[in-house]
Amino acid sequence: MEPNTKTKTEITFEDFKTEVLSDYKLAVTSRECSLLGRREVLTGKAKFGIFGDGKEVPQIAWAKAFKDGDFRSGYYRDQTFMMAIGELTIEQFFAGLYANTDLKEEPMSAGRQMGGHFATHSLDKNGNWKNLTKQKNSSADISPTAGQMPRLLGLAQASKIYRNVKGIDTTKFSKEGNEVAWGTIGNASTSEGLFFETVNAAGVLQVPMIISVWDDEYGISVHAKHQTTKENISEILKGFQRDENNDGYEIFRVNGWNYAELIDTYQRAAQVARKEHVPVMIHVQELTQPQGHSTSGSHERYKDTGRLAWEAEYDCNAQMRQWMIENNISTDEELYTLEKEIKKAVRDGKKAAWSTFINPLKVEKNEAVALLERVSNTSSNGVFITKLKNDLAVIDEPLRKDILSATRKALRYVVSEQSNEKVELQHWINNYIETIQTKYSSYLHSQSNKKATNQTEVSPTYATDAEEVDGRVILRNNFETIFSKYPEALVFGEDAGHIGDVNQGLEGLQEKFGELRISDTGIREATILGQGIGMAMRGLRPIAEIQYLDYILYALQIMSDDLATLQYRTKGRQKAPLIIRTRGHRLEGIWHSGSQMGGVLNLIRGIHVLVPRNMTKAAGFYNTLLESDEPALIVECLNGYRLKEKMPNNIGKFKTPLGVIETIKEGEDITLVSYGSTLRLVEQAAKELQEVGIDAEIIDVQSLLPFDLNHDIVKSVSKTNRLMVIDEDVSGGASAYILDEILNKQNAYQHLDSQPKTLSAQPHRPAYGTDGDYFSKPSVEDIFEAVYNVMHEANPVDFPKLR
């Protein structure tokens, strides 16, 4: 369905008529998919529908300006565009609606996202990059409104990097930086902070980015007068318009029902962005939404009869049809015949998609029914199993939930019986779950040979007279080696460039590697993350610096909804190996000493979370990750930059492994588990405990996600028979996560002679000053007394009550 990209001046009138008719056919096809898709939801075959009806014609115009190598970062109204670039068929549209788990049938997400969320494949089945310059690319959509905007910034910035930074192998990723990143957003979602943050950042960076605002005057039921000042987003963004003296945006306005003007506008916008590398905004006005926001409601509830009548007249498909008749491109009769043919083609495509989806489930159901029949014939509870079998048998359109639920319930009726049929049922259920679960749970992380946990450890080595230096010097020298070794690597963040970051870990590197690779940014954490995501999706190796761990909260939505889910929601067909650099732990004051680890651990599954205790360990993590293809968050110890460490002589080569703990001190009486800055307090407490006869073993977790893959902590607990987790996070945060991993996943409970303990912070942010830290987070004395009390309970004679 990909449209002809020739312009009217290059083709004959007959060729032009053919192209216009092809475009109209596509617009009607997309509309019929929307209409029939809604009916599929209302009849129960699909769970939810959100469609692109009313936006067909502008999306066709957009597709004509979209080139191989370009990227889309859009939202759930862009189905016509995806059809126009040849990446969405009728059958695939409905496969998405039915949540078909076969990636061949539903290539957008294998049923993991609801319909309307689109993606192309950047990776082959082995996780290797395809040649992105030879295909039209769509980054995988997310539902949170405006959440696609930060990523768009990075997709556009990649072109600027590829055009201006020498030495990068651009073969699969760029042709001289000529690619444009195209974003789409609804008019109501432009009220989100992420939109404004992205618009401002793109204006500063001057990147080839084009934002289309689909404006139908509503946000679900809420009119534009409640959404946007002056009810007009391009009007209030006039100050961003560039002029001869100032950089900025090129801003276009066009009516969404005017086919000819839309094509002209998109061609001009593309030329400006592609040639001049400047951001562009296209405000597409006077659009409609014929079926309302989604299948959850009807727009007749909030639009008056006048508005509904206007929408019927100015529907973009209706206006295009009228324009074609008025300009002798076609007749009403010819178009009626064409529309009738399209309706049939969409119905046939829908039927084919449904058959492809339901037939395998029917086979699985019949297998289960036959098995239940055999089990019921040999069971004393056959009457109950027969009912389960019969209830399943009459389901004409079964789901896997129906199949597995019936067989698992049947197993309960034969739990005390012995028969071959029972064994067969057990095996069938286990095999079914093993086979089917991966359709829903695979690819949270990379499954390629480059995944982070495949990287082998390389220990730092030292000369006999190794100099002791500030930890930040080790980090700086390691970064210098990284940027020399990897021309595609770059770092950016607040104060990261000119002054070499607030703790001098990047000191002098901007002068050596240039402002594009070692860059300062504005105070805008969400789009710093977005820059990293977009550039990583295009083959670069960005390190996005968030100045302090506290500020991660500004970017947490992007990390959680976009970066963490990317491999999962594309079933391994897109990746963004972004490294997020930040610093935290144990500084004095509410704002730079809070520990958000509990929230982070829960919200960013899919991103590795690494907590090195010193700068050598941190440097090793950077080295490991740059040889892998996965995203990670590294939290450097904020109070560790000036602490002395030995300078390794294999800078840039040593690698800290992920998911591997380190035993800092061996002991016999209790296992103490911690990470980051708190480890130094644990080590001091252990020395003092030794003085009273308590020999503690100290374990540095190093990596929270993944956690102790070799299950080494349980080996320690089996020796000491006691366990304590010490953490500066609040109770129930990271300490609870660590304890769950050790007790429930490693089964350490069976080795315990004492109650496992956690020692965490007070349930508030730490107060300011040294005393604020002492009374807010675990101190050496807190650790000493908590461990001593455990030993007192076990042996009150040798360890009498302390207080």
Side-chain angles (χ1 to χ4, degrees):
M1 296 185 201
E2 189 172 344
N4 190 327
T5 56
K6 294 179 182 179
T7 63
K8 288 184 286 186
T9 57
E10 297 171 328
I11 57 178
T12 66
F13 182 68
E14 288 303 313
D15 288 338
F16 173 60
K17 285 175 58 175
T18 300
E19 182 178 345
V20 173
L21 281 167
S22 176
D23 290 346
Y24 182 70
K25 180 179 180 181
L26 178 58
V28 175
T29 298
S30 180
R31 178 66 59 86
E32 288 300 318
C33 285
S34 297
L35 297 172
L36 192 51
R38 182 180 180 87
R39 288 198 286 272
E40 291 298 276
V41 174
L42 298 180
T43 58
K45 286 186 175 180
K47 295 290 287 185
F48 179 77
I50 193 160
F51 306 111
D53 47 306
K55 282 77 179 173
E56 294 90 350
V57 175
Q59 289 183 21
I60 290 170
W62 165 27
K64 291 176 182 292
F66 196 93
K67 305 293 185 185
D68 284 354
D70 285 1
F71 262 86
R72 165 191 171 271
S73 182
Y75 86 133
Y76 40 74
R77 303 291 184 195
D78 294 346
Q79 72 196 45
T80 309
F81 170 80
M82 293 300 292
M83 291 177 172
I85 64 170
E87 292 294 337
L88 181 67
T89 66
I90 295 169
E91 289 80 2
Q92 289 167 348
F93 172 90
F94 285 101
L97 204 59
Y98 303 140
N100 194 317
T101 58
D102 187 337
L103 196 62
K104 292 179 181 178
E105 303 296 334
E106 204 283 270
M108 304 300 149
S109 73
R112 297 182 177 191
Q113 298 214 86
M114 69 180 86
H117 293 70
F118 306 113
T120 53
H121 294 184
S122 299
L123 310 176
D124 64 23
K125 64 180 180 179
N126 297 315
N128 299 312
W129 289 109
K130 299 171 68 177
N131 190 330
L132 305 185
T133 69
K134 293 186 177 181
Q135 63 181 44
K136 294 177 172 65
N137 303 287
S138 173
S139 59
D141 294 336
I142 57 175
S143 279
T145 53
Q148 71 274 25
M149 290 289 104
R151 179 202 328 139
L152 173 66
L153 179 67
L155 292 169
Q157 190 182 3
S159 290
K160 185 171 184 175
I161 298 300
Y162 282 128
R163 178 173 286 186
N164 295 288
V165 175
K166 306 303 180 186
I168 304 175
D169 181 2
T170 64
T171 305
K172 293 184 176 182
F173 304 110
S174 180
K175 292 183 177 179
E176 299 179 345
N178 291 328
E179 301 79 22
V180 172
W182 302 77
T184 64
I185 189 168
N187 58 295
S189 295
T190 63
S191 300
E192 292 277 11
L194 294 176
F195 171 80
F196 282 96
E197 189 174 315
T198 302
V199 166
N200 180 62
V204 171
L205 291 171
Q206 288 293 285
V207 292
M209 180 182 94
I210 301 177
I211 299 176
S212 295
V213 179
W214 308 138
D215 190 346
D216 56 28
E217 290 193 21
Y218 286 85
I220 307 184
S221 66
V222 180
H223 190 267
K225 65 184 178 183
H226 303 297
Q227 304 274 4
T228 309
T229 303
K230 299 184 179 181
E231 301 182 30
N232 190 314
I233 189 63
S234 59
E235 181 68 21
I236 63 174
L237 292 179
K238 275 184 176 180
F240 284 85
Q241 175 66 53
R242 63 177 182 158
D243 56 40
E244 59 184 14
N245 298 315
N246 298 283
D247 289 335
Y249 275 72
E250 196 64 38
I251 300 176
F252 295 89
R253 293 184 187 179
V254 62
N255 289 330
W257 47 264
N258 192 319
Y259 173 76
E261 287 189 8
L262 283 162
I263 293 174
D264 179 64
T265 299
Y266 273 92
Q267 293 294 331
R268 288 189 290 129
Q271 184 176 11
V272 169
R274 203 178 304 278
K275 181 179 179 181
E276 301 180 45
H277 265 210
V278 297
V280 177
M281 179 174 296
I282 305 175
H283 186 186
V284 185
Q285 300 175 284
E286 296 194 7
L287 286 170
T288 66
Q289 200 155 276
Q291 297 186 114
H293 176 75
S294 71
T295 53
S296 294
S298 170
H299 65 153
E300 285 84 2
R301 291 184 299 162
Y302 53 85
K303 292 176 182 175
D304 60 29
T305 54
R307 173 68 191 190
L308 291 170
W310 180 89
E311 289 195 6
E313 180 180 357
Y314 281 89
D315 177 281
C316 63
N317 287 11
Q319 285 287 314
M320 183 177 179
R321 190 183 197 278
Q322 180 180 334
W323 174 83
M324 290 166 65
I325 294 171
E326 290 173 351
N327 286 275
N328 298 319
I329 293 171
S330 190
T331 65
D332 180 71
E333 293 78 10
E334 291 169 342
L335 294 178
Y336 176 79
T337 300
L338 177 63
E339 291 155 0
K340 189 175 180 181
E341 292 171 353
I342 292 170
K343 288 177 184 287
K344 182 179 184 304
V346 172
R347 285 196 303 270
D348 290 345
K350 184 268 295 183
K351 291 176 183 177
W354 178 250
S355 295
T356 301
F357 169 73
I358 202 64
N359 287 342
L361 301 187
K362 288 182 176 181
V363 171
E364 294 167 19
K365 182 198 83 169
N366 292 338
E367 270 185 24
V369 167
L371 176 57
L372 292 175
E373 175 73 23
R374 292 193 294 275
V375 175
S376 67
N377 289 338
T378 60
S379 173
S380 59
N381 289 313
V383 63
F384 302 107
I385 299 171
T386 297
K387 184 178 186 309
L388 289 171
K389 179 206 71 173
N390 291 340
D391 289 346
L392 179 60
V394 298
I395 300 176
D396 291 331
E397 297 172 346
L399 298 175
R400 291 190 167 109
K401 171 184 177 293
D402 303 319
I403 299 165
L404 193 53
S405 177
T407 52
R408 293 170 79 177
K409 287 178 179 177
L411 191 59
R412 303 171 194 174
Y413 290 112
V414 296
V415 65
S416 300
E417 299 177 1
Q418 299 298 323
S419 68
N420 291 332
E421 288 74 17
K422 172 190 171 181
V423 173
E424 184 185 7
L425 178 61
Q426 290 172 324
H427 288 166
W428 190 93
I429 291 171
N430 289 338
N431 290 335
Y432 191 78
I433 291 174
E434 183 179 355
T435 300
I436 300 302
Q437 189 69 52
T438 58
K439 295 180 182 294
Y440 302 94
S441 300
S442 59
Y443 286 100
L444 180 61
H445 293 283
S446 170
Q447 295 183 16
S448 78
N449 57 12
K450 290 185 177 180
K451 66 180 182 179
T453 52
N454 277 359
Q455 307 305 312
T456 56
E457 179 178 10
V458 176
S459 298
T461 57
Y462 301 92
T464 54
D465 59 346
E467 180 185 5
E468 286 204 341
V469 299
D470 289 348
R472 65 104 188 167
V473 175
I474 295 171
L475 205 57
R476 180 200 64 194
N477 291 359
N478 196 74
F479 277 131
E480 183 174 8
T481 303
I482 283 172
F483 294 121
S484 298
K485 180 179 179 181
Y486 300 99
E488 67 273 22
L490 61 159
V491 64
F492 46 92
E494 298 158 18
D495 300 308
H498 181 64
I499 68 169
D501 90 41
V502 290
N503 297 103
Q504 301 287 276
L506 298 167
E507 180 189 25
L509 298 189
Q510 186 181 82
E511 184 177 352
K512 181 171 184 178
F513 296 103
E515 293 185 7
L516 285 175
R517 296 188 65 195
I518 317 294
S519 307
D520 287 310
T521 69
I523 300 176
R524 47 174 183 79
E525 286 76 16
T527 46
I528 292 174
L529 254 294
Q531 285 176 253
I533 296 170
M535 286 193 281
M537 293 184 78
R538 291 191 58 190
L540 295 169
R541 294 310 310 266
I543 301 172
E545 179 169 315
I546 303 299
Q547 194 164 84
Y548 296 109
L549 181 60
D550 310 61
Y551 301 164
I552 282 285
L553 298 182
Y554 285 101
L556 197 53
Q557 186 263 318
I558 300 302
M559 293 171 64
S560 179
D561 290 324
D562 198 354
L563 181 60
T565 66
L566 181 60
Q567 286 251 3
Y568 173 77
R569 73 180 191 268
T570 62
K571 203 173 183 181
R573 291 306 193 267
Q574 290 188 2
K575 64 182 176 183
L578 167 64
I579 300 173
I580 305 161
R581 180 192 184 208
T582 191
R583 50 190 67 82
H585 310 310
R586 310 232 41 141
L587 195 68
E588 297 172 349
I590 289 178
W591 303 116
H592 294 334
S593 54
S595 179
Q596 293 79 20
M597 299 310 299
V600 167
L601 288 170
N602 281 295
L603 291 169
I604 66 169
R605 300 297 172 96
I607 301 174
H608 297 306
V609 178
L610 312 176
V611 283
R613 69 179 182 271
N614 58 38
M615 300 308 149
T616 302
K617 291 289 185 180
F621 276 134
Y622 289 110
N623 297 336
T624 298
L625 290 168
L626 282 165
E627 293 190 10
S628 81
D629 63 354
E630 295 188 78
L633 168 66
I634 299 178
V635 184
E636 298 167 9
C637 292
L638 188 50
N639 58 6
Y641 294 104
R642 304 292 173 180
L643 297 180
K644 299 299 182 183
E645 300 179 40
K646 286 185 177 181
M647 173 64 75
N649 58 14
N650 59 340
I651 284 285
K653 297 179 181 178
F654 59 86
K655 296 191 292 183
T656 308
L658 275 66
V660 177
I661 62 100
E662 183 176 353
T663 301
I664 304 300
K665 173 189 174 297
E666 294 191 356
E668 299 293 331
D669 295 326
I670 188 169
T671 300
L672 305 181
V673 179
S674 191
Y675 64 89
S677 295
T678 304
L679 269 167
R680 288 193 283 276
L681 281 72
V682 175
E683 289 182 275
Q684 179 60 40
K687 291 178 183 177
E688 297 177 13
L689 286 163
Q690 194 89 49
E691 296 172 359
V692 298
I694 299 173
D695 187 16
E697 184 148 299
I698 304 174
I699 290 177
D700 179 6
V701 168
Q702 298 198 104
S703 168
L704 288 167
L705 291 175
F707 183 87
D708 189 12
L709 296 174
N710 299 323
H711 289 192
D712 288 324
I713 296 178
V714 70
K715 299 169 188 173
S716 172
V717 175
S718 70
K719 176 179 65 172
T720 66
N721 307 119
R722 294 179 182 86
L723 171 67
M724 181 176 292
V725 177
I726 302 101
D727 180 30
E728 64 173 287
D729 198 3
V730 297
S731 177
S735 59
Y737 161 78
I738 293 171
L739 198 63
D740 175 69
E741 289 280 335
I742 298 170
L743 295 184
N744 294 326
K745 293 188 179 178
Q746 299 188 15
N747 295 322
Y749 66 89
Q750 60 190 330
H751 301 293
L752 291 172
D753 292 337
S754 298
Q755 178 185 350
K757 296 284 189 177
T758 60
L759 179 61
S760 54
Q762 295 292 325
H764 54 70
R765 297 292 181 97
Y768 173 62
T770 299
D771 283 345
D773 175 78
Y774 187 86
F775 286 97
S776 300
K777 292 191 174 186
S779 66
V780 172
E781 288 71 34
D782 291 332
I783 299 166
F784 179 98
E785 291 181 5
V787 174
Y788 186 93
N789 287 339
V790 170
M791 300 307 295
H792 164 71
E793 291 175 5
N795 186 353
V797 174
D798 289 346
F799 304 102
K801 187 174 182 179
L802 194 60
R803 65 179 172 88

